[in-house]
Amino acid sequence: MEFDDIHKNLVEILGDDNVYLNEDMSKHSSFKTGGMADVFITPSSKEKIVESIKAINKYDVPFTIIGNGTNLLVRDKGIRGVVMSLYDNFNIVRVEDDKIIAQSGALFSAISNYACRASLAGLEFASGIPGTIGGAAKINAGAYGGEFKDVFHSATLLKRDGTLIEADLEYMNYDYRGSSITDEIIVEVIVKLTPGEVSTIRNAMVLLAKKRKEKQPLNIPSAGSTFKRPKGEYAGKLIESAGLKGYEIGGARVSIKHAGFIVNTGEATSTDIETLIKKVQEIVEKNSGIKLEPEVQIIGEE
Ligand SMILES: Cc1cc2nc3c(=O)[nH]c(=O)nc-3n(C[C@H](O)[C@H](O)[C@H](O)COP(=O)(O)OP(=O)(O)OC[C@H]3O[C@@H](n4cnc5c(N)ncnc54)[C@H](O)[C@@H]3O)c2cc1C
């Protein structure tokens, strides 16, 4: 498919610096793997996001929204159509009383730091989660007993027909690592927190960072926990019990430090990682009767 026309149209809206043809998605995925996106855009305001969607709607092309790519595995053949990335260019955050209002490309961990400085408790759990608040709001990110839904107040969503709507907790319909969001773009998020002591909040964040560093392979590319936690079990424990710690396919490996993480040892392709995900599912199911479900979202052309 030719993208010259759509490229020209999007450059008129977003400027040359925010529209890329054949963008290497390994630069936008924490696994550091994946093929090219046909068109990659980075709008910097709500108005530009809306205008871009209306322009894209004039063409019959697939559309993908991403945040910081820390929960994504992009296949080696890349992504057809237009990818909109909101990380890095759409990240203004402000505090109003006990609420934080954030553009959806702001990092969840940065918002956790804002909250601490503003003496607001409730986001300590988010301090080590490397994604955007948009990504966290979509998948109900959580850690160490905290979940995004516990602090959610409301969100502005852009529907694919170009209309903006306000979403409340009922609309989001959160469950474990999931929400009702399918193809809506989360544009702005408001979280509601509780007044607290800066030192208490900071100490909790420092403690969680220490735990993470001890338990997780943070210095090797990954997308965090590869699998969702099965009811009453731990994915990492099941994988370890199946003898898979350190198991490798190509450059993909079940982390030796934490079996719940699949890591890229340096030269992995997305195919290596996807094949290893399937192999782990198969062997764990044989060993325990439990089918692990990926938490990582696998996207792109098969
Ligand atoms: C080292 C490491 C540790 C991690 N630890 C945790 C953890 O403790 N807890 C946890 O829950 N996760 C963890 N993760 C995974 C990841 O950081 C979170 O899932 C995060 O919320 C994903 O945000 P993102 O911006 O990177 O989203 P992406 O990976 O870019 O996208 C994830 C999904 O959200 C959608 N999405 C993103 N932005 C928007 C938007 N604005 N509107 C609509 N949809 C959107 C995408 O389409 C995709 O479906 C970890 C990852 C790493 C690499």
Side-chain angles (χ1 to χ4, degrees):
M1 182 174 218
E2 275 298 323
F3 287 99
D4 291 353
D5 206 33
I6 189 163
H7 177 256
K8 204 170 132 227
N9 218 312
L10 287 167
V11 167
E12 274 165 23
I13 298 166
L14 302 171
D16 253 346
D17 291 351
N18 295 305
V19 186
Y20 306 83
L21 279 174
N22 298 320
E23 177 68 1
D24 178 358
M25 288 303 295
S26 70
K27 294 195 293 192
H28 306 284
S29 153
S30 57
F31 266 128
K32 306 222 174 300
T33 60
M36 307 285 185
D38 293 327
V39 184
F40 185 86
I41 60 172
T42 56
S44 58
S45 70
K46 179 157 85 180
E47 294 70 29
K48 289 192 174 185
I49 294 172
V50 175
E51 264 192 86
S52 305
I53 284 297
K54 288 185 175 162
I56 293 162
N57 283 348
K58 290 190 216 137
Y59 303 85
D60 184 22
V61 289
F63 172 79
T64 306
I65 173 81
I66 68 163
N68 195 22
T70 62
N71 198 36
L72 291 182
L73 177 65
V74 180
R75 290 199 176 96
D76 297 316
K77 286 188 185 159
I79 308 178
R80 301 292 67 82
V82 181
V83 175
M84 179 186 284
S85 163
L86 294 181
Y87 167 63
D88 215 20
N89 216 6
F90 184 64
N91 54 15
I92 295 171
V93 175
R94 66 180 202 277
V95 180
E96 265 180 28
D97 303 322
D98 61 350
K99 296 196 186 75
I100 296 185
I101 298 143
Q103 290 182 335
S104 62
L107 282 180
F108 204 24
S109 55
I111 295 169
S112 166
N113 281 321
Y114 264 96
C116 175
R117 286 199 296 275
S119 307
L120 292 171
L123 270 183
E124 295 85 338
F125 78 90
S127 58
I129 299 180
T132 62
I133 192 160
K138 154 107 186 223
I139 70 132
N140 189 23
Y144 302 109
E147 265 185 312
F148 180 79
K149 74 171 173 50
D150 304 336
V151 294
F152 178 82
H153 176 270
S154 57
T156 306
L157 309 180
L158 177 65
K159 296 190 19 169
R160 281 302 312 279
D161 64 5
T163 51
L164 287 162
I165 58 165
E166 292 302 310
D168 59 9
L169 194 57
E170 199 183 336
Y171 183 99
M172 299 301 280
N173 196 21
Y174 283 122
D175 60 12
Y176 172 67
R177 298 293 178 273
S179 71
S180 62
I181 301 296
T182 48
D183 62 355
E184 303 96 320
I185 298 171
I186 300 162
V187 179
E188 195 171 79
V189 181
I190 304 181
V191 292
K192 191 173 179 334
L193 303 167
T194 323
E197 279 287 323
V198 174
S199 58
T200 315
I201 298 167
R202 180 154 298 125
N203 288 344
M205 286 162 69
V206 169
L207 193 73
L208 294 185
K210 194 165 163 263
K211 274 194 188 170
R212 241 180 225 280
K213 213 169 152 201
E214 274 167 19
K215 297 258 162 70
Q216 301 182 358
L218 298 181
N219 53 352
I220 312 177
S222 78
S225 300
T226 314
F227 300 98
K228 292 183 180 176
R229 189 178 157 184
K231 265 213 167 76
E233 291 284 352
Y234 289 96
K237 215 167 133 225
L238 293 172
I239 296 166
E240 202 173 334
S241 305
L244 290 168
K245 212 173 204 185
Y247 189 92
E248 288 183 17
I249 291 182
R253 176 195 291 153
V254 174
S255 166
I256 292 159
K257 194 164 181 184
H258 188 319
F261 282 51
I262 286 179
V263 295
N264 174 0
T265 59
E267 299 297 324
T269 60
S270 293
T271 307
D272 293 341
I273 297 168
E274 193 171 353
T275 312
L276 182 54
I277 289 174
K278 288 191 182 127
K279 193 80 192 166
V280 168
Q281 282 176 307
E282 186 193 309
I283 297 178
V284 166
E285 191 171 12
K286 235 185 242 160
N287 197 57
S288 66
I290 296 170
K291 174 101 195 238
L292 293 175
E293 196 192 325
E295 179 168 325
V296 169
Q297 324 237 324
I298 304 171
I299 60 171
E301 194 177 336
E302 288 197 51

